[in-house]
Amino acid sequence: MRRGTPETAETMVRFYRCIIQADLDPADWITAELVKTVENAYRDVQIAFANEVALICEALGGDVWKVRELVNKSPYRQMHLPGAGVGGHCIPKDPWLLVYGVEGKDVPVRLIPTARAVNDSMPAHVADLLEGALAHAGRSLEGARILVLGYAYLEDSDDTRNSPSEALVKILLERGAGVVIHDPYVAGYQGDVYEMATGCDGSW
């Protein structure tokens, strides 16, 4: 049985029907790999759009949450939630795999790398917001004690792979802040959140 043939696809469909109950769509291996990387690149671009809109709203004094709510009332609109970045094993990686596939070919890839840059920049922006808020209160980030609420990249999960919180913590430490981390799902960061918050100058 040769790799990538329709016979191989049908065999794998029969195999997976013994394991899962879901739609199983046979495809050639190029299509299958493109679907995997495109799906995650699509999510990355959508999150980057939400994050960039949040930055625009912040600069103009707008309420991004209200903007998102009203935008999503329009038919076929589903603006994602902005946040501190993108984590996990797949979304930060798969867009680069998709782009790498056309390296050396005459394809002007611009949107996907830009989305990656937007999302990768968000932890530093969060640190800037914390620094600005502390300065407004007459405090310096250097020497401040910051409580980071949540360390996993996904809610209700202990998966910390490529977590934006990990990047944020590194930036805060580089800027001289002390960091306390609480996440009820991640071993080593559990405990009484109220006790951890005691003596902190700020939180995220």
Side-chain angles (χ1 to χ4, degrees):
M1 187 166 57
R2 291 180 292 119
R3 181 181 64 179
T5 64
E7 293 81 6
T8 302
E10 290 298 338
T11 298
M12 296 311 297
V13 167
R14 289 197 299 272
F15 172 73
Y16 277 107
R17 280 203 181 109
C18 300
I19 303 172
I20 63 172
Q21 294 181 341
D23 290 341
L24 295 169
D25 302 299
D28 63 86
W29 69 270
I30 292 177
T31 300
E33 195 63 33
L34 282 168
V35 169
K36 171 66 166 66
T37 53
V38 167
E39 191 271 335
N40 281 322
Y42 173 81
R43 292 168 68 192
D44 196 42
V45 169
Q46 292 295 314
I47 294 167
F49 175 79
N51 283 335
E52 191 151 284
V53 169
L55 295 174
I56 292 169
C57 289
E58 180 186 314
L60 296 177
D63 181 349
V64 67
W65 308 110
K66 191 65 177 179
V67 168
R68 177 181 179 270
E69 175 191 339
L70 297 178
V71 164
N72 287 346
K73 286 188 172 185
S74 297
Y76 311 113
R77 305 295 190 273
Q78 190 54 53
M79 179 177 158
H80 283 38
L81 291 165
V86 174
H89 177 64
C90 295
I91 295 183
K93 164 182 63 69
D94 284 356
W96 293 126
L97 292 177
L98 179 61
V99 169
Y100 178 79
V102 295
E103 195 173 81
K105 302 182 185 297
D106 189 22
V107 179
V109 180
R110 296 181 292 268
L111 178 61
I112 292 170
T114 300
R116 281 277 71 238
V118 170
N119 288 332
D120 281 346
S121 73
M122 294 309 293
H125 182 67
V126 170
D128 290 342
L129 291 176
L130 282 166
E131 193 163 19
L134 286 168
H136 185 72
R139 295 294 307 275
S140 171
L141 180 60
E142 184 176 3
R145 181 180 169 91
I146 305 298
L147 174 63
V148 174
L149 296 166
Y151 198 69
Y153 85 91
L154 186 67
E155 63 182 351
D156 301 338
S157 166
D158 64 353
D159 193 340
T160 62
R161 290 176 295 176
N162 298 309
S163 167
S165 290
E166 183 179 13
L168 173 61
V169 167
K170 181 180 178 182
I171 294 167
L172 292 174
L173 292 174
E174 288 173 349
R175 296 188 188 183
V179 178
V180 181
I181 302 168
H182 180 270
D183 193 312
Y185 295 93
V186 179
Y189 300 128
Q190 298 161 341
D192 189 318
V193 67
Y194 295 104
E195 289 183 7
M196 292 181 173
T198 301
C200 286
D201 302 292
S203 67
W204 183 266

